[in-house]
Amino acid sequence: MRPGGALLALLASLLLLLLLRPLWCPPDAPARSRFLMEESREDTLGTPAALRMPRSPATPAQHPTNSTYLNEKSLQLVEKCKNLQYGFEFLSNKTKGYSEDDYLQIITDIQSCPWKRQAEEYANFRAKLAACCDAVQNFIVSQNNTPVGTNMSYEVESKKEIPIKENIFHMFPVSQPFVEYPYNQCAVVGNGGILNNSLCGAEIDKSDFVFRCNLPPITGNISKDVGSKTNLVTINPSIIIQKYGNLKEKKAIFLEDIATYGDAFLLLPAFSYRANTGSSFKVYYTLKESKARQKVLFFHPKYLKHLDLFWRTKGVTAYRLSTGLMIASIALELCENVKLYGFWPFSKTIEDTPINHHYYDNKLPKRGFHQMPKEYSQMLQLHMKGILQLQFSKCEIA
């Protein structure tokens, strides 16, 4: 080889080494690389795979486009809402109760999460309710499920029975009367003070079936907030005794008041306690004698017993379920879509504004009788799972 050729070869080798130098790793590179991986894993702990954006430390961060940014924000919101659901489900099962302020903060967080019906979650929950209780066939006493000669046990006073004779049997409908079951959109209207100035009336009245509790007022100016359509309304027998004098001298006032509910079914717990039976039967005979449009139905005590056992497995262990939870449970079996209005067991709004217990008065429930915080936490879980929807604030006016 010529001297000049050797020099050229040496220069070419040096040039090649210089070009390859960026790809060369010093001896401690594996340890350093491992450290970066551990650091990265710690940084992303708890972050969903969809939100992790692995990149080399040497690579500059890319400025996302608007579309990418919005997608990332959407994914982050979804993850936040999932974590909220799991966290609340875990905490609500703990023995220590939440304070009112704790609940209001949780509801504030929930409101930032868009609600969407989850068909599979709904179907699973509905199937569990049907397996335990079967509201479609069993929630009212009918001639089909309670033949003449039955000795019916009371729901609460279970050792006491009432024999079903011909005169009682003929008070019952032949079968369940809800001919358009399953209903598409149902509204369950509670009586919470949160309904005042809510402007939810028009939305409620658009529902296919509207449930109400304990003969609440629906006429006059209040209808803009609570609506007026009623398909079924419950009556606590204590109302018949205390407000209407057990239908003696105040029978006409009672008939005038129930006329505001149109063709609604009147649902009474005649067989929960023996003390309820007489006043519940009086409602039936009063309507029959006056040829009123409304029809009387009675809760089946066996259905209420099974429903109570169902909710006890969820941690609701009060002396008695509230009427609101009973009706919401029935609606979940009778309806494809359920929305709850006026369910608000708090003394103030999330904006810290004081409100009455009911939209028409501030009479508080009997202490220790119901377990409202536990019940409401269950409703919040159903809302977060997309099984039913809770209305927390004012309704949007179309």
Side-chain angles (χ1 to χ4, degrees):
M1 181 181 295
R2 290 180 298 171
L7 181 61
L8 285 172
L10 179 60
L11 289 171
S13 297
L14 288 171
L15 181 61
L16 183 61
L17 282 171
L18 287 169
L19 290 170
L20 291 175
R21 188 178 177 188
L23 302 180
W24 175 71
C25 292
D28 66 339
R32 172 64 182 161
S33 176
R34 190 163 55 247
F35 172 76
L36 286 172
M37 289 172 66
E38 299 279 2
E39 194 177 58
S40 175
R41 188 158 56 227
E42 288 177 9
D43 287 344
T44 58
L45 188 63
T47 306
L51 294 182
R52 294 175 195 159
M53 303 293 287
R55 57 185 175 86
S56 163
T59 306
Q62 298 294 314
H63 293 288
T65 63
N66 285 342
S67 174
T68 305
Y69 175 75
L70 290 173
N71 286 339
E72 284 189 30
K73 294 294 285 184
S74 177
L75 287 168
Q76 288 170 358
L77 180 61
V78 167
E79 188 63 23
K80 171 197 161 187
C81 295
K82 278 185 183 176
N83 290 338
L84 181 64
Q85 177 185 324
Y86 298 141
F88 180 68
E89 192 172 341
F90 170 75
L91 289 171
S92 65
N93 291 327
K94 298 184 75 164
T95 52
K96 184 183 177 184
Y98 279 122
S99 70
E100 186 169 277
D101 287 335
D102 290 335
Y103 268 110
L104 295 176
Q105 182 56 56
I106 289 165
I107 291 166
T108 302
D109 293 338
I110 290 171
Q111 281 188 291
S112 68
C113 298
W115 186 87
K116 184 180 179 184
R117 183 180 182 272
Q118 299 296 331
E120 188 175 347
E121 290 275 7
Y122 166 77
N124 288 340
F125 191 81
R126 189 185 197 182
K128 288 175 184 175
L129 269 175
C132 99
C133 310
D134 192 7
V136 177
Q137 299 300 326
N138 296 331
F139 98 85
I140 62 165
V141 183
S142 70
Q143 294 180 5
N144 282 352
N145 60 33
T146 311
V148 173
T150 301
N151 287 320
M152 182 185 286
S153 295
Y154 281 88
E155 175 209 346
V156 181
E157 299 172 301
S158 56
K159 292 183 179 178
K160 305 296 181 181
E161 294 181 341
I162 178 169
I164 304 303
K165 298 178 181 178
E166 287 282 350
N167 62 326
I168 297 177
F169 178 75
H170 288 300
M171 294 184 191
F172 309 151
V174 174
S175 59
Q176 67 93 357
F178 306 104
V179 292
E180 294 180 39
Y181 156 82
Y183 299 92
N184 178 33
Q185 184 68 46
C186 292
V188 181
V189 186
N191 298 330
I194 196 74
L195 279 170
N196 283 319
N197 302 312
S198 67
L199 301 177
C200 287
E203 185 176 303
I204 290 168
D205 286 348
K206 286 178 184 175
S207 304
D208 300 306
F209 200 97
V210 179
F211 299 85
R212 297 183 191 272
C213 302
N214 296 332
L215 298 182
I218 57 172
T219 56
N221 196 43
I222 194 65
S223 64
K224 75 181 189 307
D225 296 325
V226 304
S228 57
K229 181 176 181 177
T230 307
N231 298 97
L232 182 149
V233 60
T234 67
I235 304 178
N236 190 319
S238 64
I239 296 173
I240 301 302
I241 296 167
Q242 295 167 14
K243 186 175 180 180
Y244 298 108
N246 212 17
L247 299 181
K248 293 176 182 176
E249 68 279 2
K250 295 184 179 179
K251 184 188 294 186
I253 298 172
F254 171 73
L255 290 170
E256 186 180 333
D257 286 350
I258 65 164
T260 62
Y261 300 109
D263 294 324
F265 293 103
L266 307 182
L267 178 62
L268 297 103
F271 307 110
S272 290
Y273 301 88
R274 285 180 298 168
N276 287 359
T277 307
S279 52
S280 297
F281 285 2
K282 279 194 174 184
V283 172
Y284 174 87
Y285 285 118
T286 297
L287 267 64
K288 185 177 180 182
E289 290 164 10
S290 63
K291 295 182 171 56
R293 298 162 62 189
Q294 300 78 22
K295 303 295 181 188
V296 172
L297 303 174
F298 302 125
F299 267 119
H300 201 299
K302 189 180 289 186
Y303 169 81
L304 292 179
K305 278 184 188 177
H306 290 163
L307 188 66
D308 179 71
L309 289 172
F310 174 84
W311 284 111
R312 280 181 182 275
T313 67
K314 309 288 184 187
V316 181
T317 56
Y319 180 70
R320 188 164 172 76
L321 298 177
S322 71
T323 304
L325 185 57
M326 292 175 186
I327 296 300
S329 302
I330 291 165
L332 283 167
E333 285 201 64
L334 293 183
C335 312
E336 296 295 338
N337 299 276
V338 178
K339 190 166 184 180
L340 273 50
Y341 302 83
F343 281 71
W344 193 262
F346 311 118
S347 64
K348 57 187 177 182
T349 67
I350 56 174
E351 292 84 17
D352 218 30
T353 305
I355 55 172
N356 287 343
H357 186 68
H358 297 133
Y359 68 81
Y360 47 85
D361 68 30
N362 200 29
K363 187 178 179 180
L364 300 176
K366 192 185 295 184
R367 285 182 66 85
F369 202 67
H370 301 311
Q371 205 172 26
M372 300 310 288
K374 277 282 187 185
E375 288 194 3
Y376 200 70
S377 71
Q378 291 297 320
M379 292 176 187
L380 284 173
Q381 287 183 53
L382 294 177
H383 173 92
M384 287 189 279
K385 290 178 180 178
I387 295 169
L388 56 71
Q389 186 176 9
L390 278 161
Q391 180 70 29
F392 297 115
S393 54
K394 288 188 177 183
C395 291
E396 295 179 10
I397 305 301

